[in-house]
C-alpha cells in the first residue's frame, strides 16, 4: 500500500509525524494513506482556545497538482466555516500551488481560527453576527467551543 | 585502438567520411587528408567547433564525437590565431563541448570549470525533436554568420547563455576562402546520437544538471537534470513534475498569454516575474501535447487581439474582424476557413436584430451551420454531445465560454486565462456576498 504512494506524500507524512507542528496533529488513516485524521488546537487568545477541533484531510489522486480536500468534523462557530465544516480559504482553491504542503494548509487553517474574516464569509448569519455584534459572536464561538470541542 | 568515423568537409563543399583513430595526432589526420586531396599537409587547416585544431592535438582529446563534421580549409596555420588560442587559457584550448554557460555559485568564471567534477555533468540540454523526442544533453556548435559554414574560429569562447543565445556577441574570423565573416552564430545539437548537419535542436537553458542534489519542489525526489525557474527563490522541479505541471495547466487552459513572451507559465509556486521566457521548454510536453499547446496559444493570442474563433464545427479558425459590423465570415482560403457566416457577439449564425438570450442561443434547436450531407450524417451524435455540454456546462456570464463544473463550490472562475471572471454557478451573475453566504456550496 505505502509503496505505491508518491514519495512526496510519504515524506510529508514522515515529517508530520516526526516534527509535528505545535498545536496540530495529522495522522494518516490505517486503511488509506491519503486520508488524514487531523486535530487542530484552538489558538490561544482566540474564542477557540482550549478546544480541539477534528478535521479530515484527503489528498486527491492529482495531489500535489491539486489541493488537498479539508473539512472540519467538529462543529465550529466561525464566519469562514459553514455548518458542514467546509472552509473558505483561497489556498484550498485557486491560490493552491504544488509548492504548498499539508503542513502549510493546516497552519493556514489555524491562522484562520485566530483571525476570522467576516468580510469574506461562508456562513452569512455568523458573519453578520460577527460584524454587528462582535462580542456576542465571540461569546457564541466560545460557548460552541466548550460545547463541541472540549472533552467533558 | 578505438577508431571512429568523422565527416570531413573540404573547402565548404562536399564532405566525405574518414575513419580515424582516436590516438592519432591532428597532424596524422592531416597527412591522411592531404594524401587524399593531393595537397601538402602543411597547407591544410582543420577547424572544429569554433577553433583550429593544432597539429600536436590528439584526436581523442578534441571532443570529436563519432560522425562529427570537421572543416578543412586550404592555407597555412595562422600563427596569430594560434597565439590567441594559446594565450586565452591553459595548454589545452577550450573546446565548445566543455564550455559551461551556467554561472557558478562559488563565483568562479565559467571558463575555468572545464576540468574537475563539473566536467562529468552535461552542461546544457536540448529538446531533440528529430530522433529522441526527449530532453537530451546538447552539444554547442558555431558557424559563420555570413557564409553559414562551420569554418569560423572564435576570438574567445562564450562565457554565458547570453553570449550564445543573443546574436552578434562573439566575434571570430571565418577561415573559408573568400569569406570575410567575423560574427559567430551558435546553435545546438543533440549529443545522444550522431547528427546530420541540419539536425539542430532548441537549447533549453532552464534545464540543468542537478550538481547540488536539490530535491524537486513538487515531489521532493532528487533527480537530474532538473528545471530551474527564473524566480528570485530559484525554485527547481524535476522534469517529470514539470511535465505534470504543464499538462495539468494545459488541460485547464491555465497558461498565461503574455504579450511579449507568448503562451507560458510561471514557477509552480506562482513567484513574481517567473514566467518562462523560452517557450521551447514546453517541448517537454511531447509532440502531441505541444501541438495542443501551440493551438491554445494561438487561440488565446487571437482572442487577446480582439479577434474571434470561428464557431463552425471542427473549424476554430482565428479571425480578426474589422470595423463595427457583427457579421463575420470565415472565408475559405485553401485548406483554411469553413465558410460560416456568424455573429461576432453571440457566435451564432449571422442574424438581423438583437442576439437572443444566451442559454437559448447556445443550445437552440436550429441548425448551427449550413448542413452539408456529411455533417448531417453525424448530427445524431452531435446533438448528443450538445446535450452533454448543456447538462454539464454553463456559459461564463462575461465571455460566454461554456464552463464545466466538475465539483467544488458554486464560486466559479472562468478558466479562460484572458477572462478569469468570477461568477456564481447558481445565479449566473458576478460572484457576490450573498452567493458566498447563502449558497457557497449550493
Amino acid at each position: 500500500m505505502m509503496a505505491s504512494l508518491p514519495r512526496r506524500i510519504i515524506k510529508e507524512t514522515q515529517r508530520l509525524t516526526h516534527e509535528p507542528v505545535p498545536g496540530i496533529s495529522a495522522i494518516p488513516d490505517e486503511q488509506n494513506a491519503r486520508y488524514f485524521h487531523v486535530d487542530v488546537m484552538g489558538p490561544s487568545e482566540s474564542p477557540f482556545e482550549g478546544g480541539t477541533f477534528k478535521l479530515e484531510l484527503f489528498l486527491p489522486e492529482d495531489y500535489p497538482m491539486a489541493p488537498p480536500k479539508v473539512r472540519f468534523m467538529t462543529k465550529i462557530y466561525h464566519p469562514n466555516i459553514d455548518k458542514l465544516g467546509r472552509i473558505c480559504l483561497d489556498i484550498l482553491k485557486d491560490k493552491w500551488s504544488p509548492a504548498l504542503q499539508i503542513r502549510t494548509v493546516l497552519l493556514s487553517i489555524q491562522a484562520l481560527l485566530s483571525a476570522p474574516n467576516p468580510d469574506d464569509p461562508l456562513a452569512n448569519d455568523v458573519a453578520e453576527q460577527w460584524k454587528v455584534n462582535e462580542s456576542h459572536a465571540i461569546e457564541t464561538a466560545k460557548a460552541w467551543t466548550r460545547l463541541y470541542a472540549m472533552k467533558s | 585502438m578505438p577508431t571512429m568515423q568523422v565527416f570531413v568537409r573540404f573547402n565548404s563543399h562536399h564532405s566525405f567520411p574518414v575513419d580515424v583513430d582516436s590516438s592519432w595526432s591532428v597532424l596524422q589526420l592531416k597527412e591522411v587528408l592531404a594524401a587524399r586531396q593531393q595537397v601538402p599537409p602543411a597547407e591544410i587547416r582543420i577547424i572544429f567547433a569554433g577553433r583550429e585544431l593544432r597539429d600536436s592535438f590528439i584526436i581523442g582529446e578534441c571532443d570529436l564525437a563519432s560522425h562529427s563534421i570537421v572543416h578543412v580549409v586550404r592555407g597555412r596555420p595562422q600563427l596569430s590565431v594560434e597565439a590567441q588560442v594559446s594565450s586565452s587559457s591553459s595548454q589545452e584550448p577550450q573546446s565548445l563541448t566543455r564550455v559551461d554557460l551556467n554561472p557558478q555559485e562559488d563565483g568562479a568564471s565559467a571558463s575555468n570549470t572545464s576540468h574537475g567534477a563539473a566536467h562529468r555533468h552535461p552542461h546544457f540540454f536540448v529538446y531533440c525533436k528529430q530522433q529522441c523526442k526527449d530532453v537530451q544533453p546538447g552539444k554547442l556548435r558555431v558557424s559563420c554568420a555570413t557564409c553559414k559554414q562551420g569554418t569560423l574560429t572564435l576570438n574567445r569562447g562564450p562565457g554565458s547563455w547570453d553570449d550564445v543565445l543573443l546574436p552578434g556577441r562573439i566575434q571570430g574570423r571565418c577561415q573559408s576562402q573568400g569569406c570575410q565573416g567575423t560574427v559567430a552564430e551558435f546553435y545546438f545539437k543533440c549529443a545522444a546520437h550522431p547528427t546530420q548537419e541540419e539536425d539542430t535542436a532548441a537549447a533549453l537553458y532552464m534545464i540543468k544538471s542537478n550538481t547540488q542534489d536539490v530535491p524537486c519542489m513538487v515531489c521532493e525526489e532528487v533527480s537530474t537534470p532538473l528545471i530551474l525557474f527564473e524566480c528570485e527563490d530559484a525554485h527547481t522541479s524535476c522534469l517529470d513534475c514539470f511535465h505534470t505541471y504543464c499538462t495539468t495547466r494545459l488541460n485547464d487552459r491555465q497558461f498565461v498569454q503574455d504579450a511579449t513572451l507568448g503562451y507560458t507559465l510561471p514557477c509552480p509556486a506562482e513567484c513574481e516575474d517567473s514566467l518562462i521566457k523560452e517557450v521551447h521548454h514546453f517541448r517537454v510536453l511531447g509532440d502531441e501535447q505541444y501541438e495542443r499547446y501551440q493551438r491554445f496559444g494561438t487561440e488565446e493570442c487571437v482572442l487577446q487581439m480582439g479577434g474571434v474563433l470561428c464557431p463552425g464545427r471542427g473549424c476554430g479558425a482565428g479571425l480578426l474582424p474589422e470595423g463595427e459590423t457583427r457579421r463575420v465570415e470565415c472565408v475559405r482560403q485553401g485548406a483554411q476557413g469553413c465558410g460560416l457566416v456568424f455573429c461576432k457577439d453571440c457566435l451564432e449564425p449571422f442574424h438581423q436584430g438583437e442576439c437572443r438570450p444566451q442559454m437559448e442561443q447556445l443550445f437552440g434547436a436550429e441548425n448551427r451551420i449550413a448542413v452539408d450531407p456529411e455533417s448531417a450524417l453525424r448530427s445524431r451524435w452531435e446533438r448528443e454531445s450538445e446535450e452533454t455540454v448543456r447538462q454539464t456546462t454553463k456559459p461564463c456570464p462575461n465571455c460566454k465560454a461554456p464552463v464545466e463544473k466538475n465539483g467544488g463550490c458554486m464560486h466559479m472562475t472562468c478558466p479562460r486565462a484572458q477572462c478569469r471572471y468570477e461568477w456564481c454557478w447558481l445565479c449566473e451573475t458576478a460572484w457576490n456576498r450573498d452567493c458566498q453566504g447563502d449558497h457557497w456550496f449550493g
Side-chain angles (χ1 to χ4, degrees), chain A residues 7-8 11 15 64-65 82 86-88 93 96-99 101 118-122 124 128 131, chain B residues 217-221 241 244-245 248-249 268-270 409 411 413 433-434 436-438 440-442:
Chain A
R7 185 179 154 94
R8 150 120 183 207
K11 285 191 104 174
R15 260 200 309 263
M65 290 304 164
D82 78 355
R86 293 173 299 205
I87 308 161
C88 181
K93 291 200 69 197
W96 171 256
S97 127
Q101 302 191 349
D119 288 324
D120 186 18
L122 177 48
N124 228 16
E128 209 56 37
K131 289 172 77 130
Chain B
M217 72 186 293
V218 178
C219 71
E220 308 203 355
E221 306 267 3
C241 287
T244 315
Y245 170 60
T248 313
R249 290 297 192 99
E270 311 265 351
C409 63
H411 185 172
T413 305
R433 282 200 52 192
D434 285 342
Q436 183 103 27
D438 186 47
W440 196 60
F441 261 95

Side-chain angles (χ1 to χ4, degrees), chain B residues 304-316:
Chain B
Q304 197 173 55
M305 288 162 72
V308 287
L309 302 173
C310 173
R313 288 197 193 286
C315 181

Side-chain angles (χ1 to χ4, degrees), chain A residues 29-118:
Chain A
D29 188 84
E30 283 178 16
Q31 309 294 319
N32 183 350
R34 287 176 175 270
Y35 184 93
F36 289 76
H37 303 272
V38 179
D39 281 343
V40 174
M41 309 297 153
S44 56
E45 289 170 43
S46 81
F48 311 101
E49 184 173 4
T52 303
F53 295 86
K54 287 201 177 308
L55 291 86
E56 57 177 7
L57 182 148
F58 179 70
L59 304 176
E61 186 58 37
D62 43 358
Y63 179 83
M65 290 304 164
K69 297 184 186 301
V70 198
R71 187 172 82 90
F72 272 81
M73 309 290 280
T74 306
K75 239 169 114 71
I76 183 168
Y77 192 81
H78 190 290
N80 309 107
I81 300 163
D82 78 355
K83 55 179 178 288
L84 293 176
R86 293 173 299 205
I87 308 161
C88 181
L89 189 62
D90 56 359
I91 61 162
L92 292 176
K93 291 200 69 197
D94 53 322
K95 292 289 188 295
W96 171 256
S97 127
L100 300 171
Q101 302 191 349
I102 301 172
R103 175 183 296 260
T104 38
V105 165
L106 295 178
L107 280 168
S108 301
I109 290 172
Q110 205 179 33
L112 192 66
L113 296 186
S114 288
N117 177 11

Side-chain angles (χ1 to χ4, degrees), chain B residues 325-365:
Chain B
T325 173
R326 289 188 292 112
R327 184 187 184 281
V328 182
E329 182 177 354
C330 183
V331 182
R332 287 186 212 266
Q333 281 175 326
Q336 294 197 316
C338 67
L340 179 69
V341 179
F342 62 96
C343 165
K344 187 169 75 176
D345 291 347
C346 66
L347 301 183
E348 284 296 296
F350 182 70
H351 53 88
Q352 298 292 336
E354 290 191 3
C355 303
R356 284 182 297 145
Q358 197 62 35
M359 286 307 286
E360 222 179 298
Q361 273 167 22
L362 253 181
F363 312 112

Side-chain angles (χ1 to χ4, degrees), chain B residues 370-395:
Chain B
V371 181
D372 68 46
E374 244 184 296
S375 67
L377 277 175
R378 291 195 305 264
S379 69
R380 274 179 61 91
W381 183 83
E382 282 178 358
R383 224 183 291 146
E384 277 168 19
S385 91
E386 200 168 81
E387 182 68 11
T388 310
V389 171
R390 193 182 66 79
Q391 283 171 356
T392 56
T393 74
K394 288 183 179 179

